[in-house]
Amino acid sequence: MSLLDLAPVIPVVVIEDAETAVPLARALVAGGLPVIEVTLRTPAAREAIARIADEVPEATVGAGTIRTTDDISASVAAGARFLVSPGTTLSLVEALDSSGVPYLPGAATVSEVMALVERGIKELKFFPAEAAGGVPYLKAMAGPLPDVRFCPTGGIRVNTAPDYLALPNVGCVGGTWLTPADAMAAGDWARVEKLASEAAALR
Ligand code: 3PG
C-alpha cells in the first residue's frame, strides 16, 4: 500500500525532548493519524524515531528533513519506516533508492517532478506547497502529469487542507499544525489528540 493512502494527514513533528516522543505518538494514533514524520531538525530526532518505532507499533514512523546520505542511514538504523526530503539532488535520490524503505522525495516545480518521473518515481512531496503555488499549481500539474501523486506540505493548515485533499493528484497532506510547540512543551497530549482527530476526519 502507498504511503500516501495510509492517512489523509501526515503530522510533521519537531521533537525537542525524546521523552515526549512516545506520548506524542500515542496521542496522534489515538486521534486517527498513525503515520508520523519526525523531522531531523533537532538533536532528539533520532532517539525519538527509535522510541516510537520500539514502543508504539501501531504508528508508522518516518524521518523527515532528509538532506544527506548520512541522514538516510541514521534514520533507517533508528527504525524509520519511510523517508521524506524537502528537495531532491541526484546523489540524494540515488541514496533514497538504495535505502530499502519507501520515500517521498521533495519537488516544487514541473521540471523537478519530471526528473523524478524519469527515474520511475511517481509519489512525491510537493514542498513548500503554499509558497510554491499551492492548489492552483497542483491542478496545473495534473494536466501534463496525471500519473503523479503528491503529499503537499508547507504552510497547510486545517482550514486549507480540504482544498488540497479534494485534488485527484493529492494522496495526503503534511503539516506541523497538529503538534503546536506550546502543546508539545506542556505535554498537552489531549490537545494533540483532538487536533489529530479533526485532521483524520478531513477525508
Ligand atoms: C515540512 O518540513 O514539511 C514543513 O516544515 C511543514 O511545516 P508547516 O506545516 O509548519 O509549514
Side-chain angles (χ1 to χ4, degrees):
M1 188 162 188
S2 158
L3 257 184
L4 299 187
D5 297 320
L6 296 177
V9 178
I10 298 181
V12 175
V13 302
V14 179
I15 297 184
E16 300 290 347
D17 176 0
E19 292 291 330
T20 65
V22 166
L24 167 72
R26 288 194 176 129
L28 291 168
V29 170
L33 298 182
V35 184
I36 303 170
E37 176 187 330
V38 177
T39 60
L40 300 184
R41 294 181 204 172
T42 59
R46 288 172 193 175
E47 173 71 18
I49 290 167
R51 289 196 191 194
I52 296 170
D54 282 351
E55 296 179 47
V56 193
E58 326 75 274
T60 299
V61 65
T65 322
I66 296 283
R67 294 174 49 187
T68 67
T69 52
D70 285 351
D71 290 341
I72 294 170
S73 46
S75 299
V76 172
R81 290 170 60 192
F82 66 94
L83 304 169
V84 184
S85 66
T88 312
T89 64
L90 183 57
S91 59
L92 192 65
V93 76
E94 283 171 352
L96 287 167
D97 263 338
S98 316
S99 68
V101 297
Y103 58 90
L104 294 174
T109 69
V110 173
S111 295
E112 290 167 15
V113 172
M114 287 175 65
L116 289 163
V117 172
E118 276 185 0
R119 300 184 65 92
I121 300 165
K122 294 188 173 173
E123 295 192 338
L124 315 176
K125 164 166 164 150
F126 178 56
F127 178 83
E130 282 285 293
V135 166
Y137 200 100
L138 286 160
K139 271 189 188 162
M141 280 201 283
L145 305 165
D147 51 338
V148 183
R149 291 203 308 150
F150 298 91
C151 175
T153 306
I156 301 175
R157 300 291 172 261
V158 66
N159 57 322
T160 52
D163 292 341
Y164 284 92
L165 291 169
L167 300 176
N169 59 347
V170 168
C172 63
V173 302
T176 58
W177 83 85
L178 306 121
T179 51
D182 57 340
M184 298 278 288
D188 188 352
W189 310 126
R191 185 170 160 216
V192 171
E193 183 178 334
K194 186 166 177 290
L195 289 166
S197 55
E198 281 168 11
L202 288 176
R203 187 165 67 187

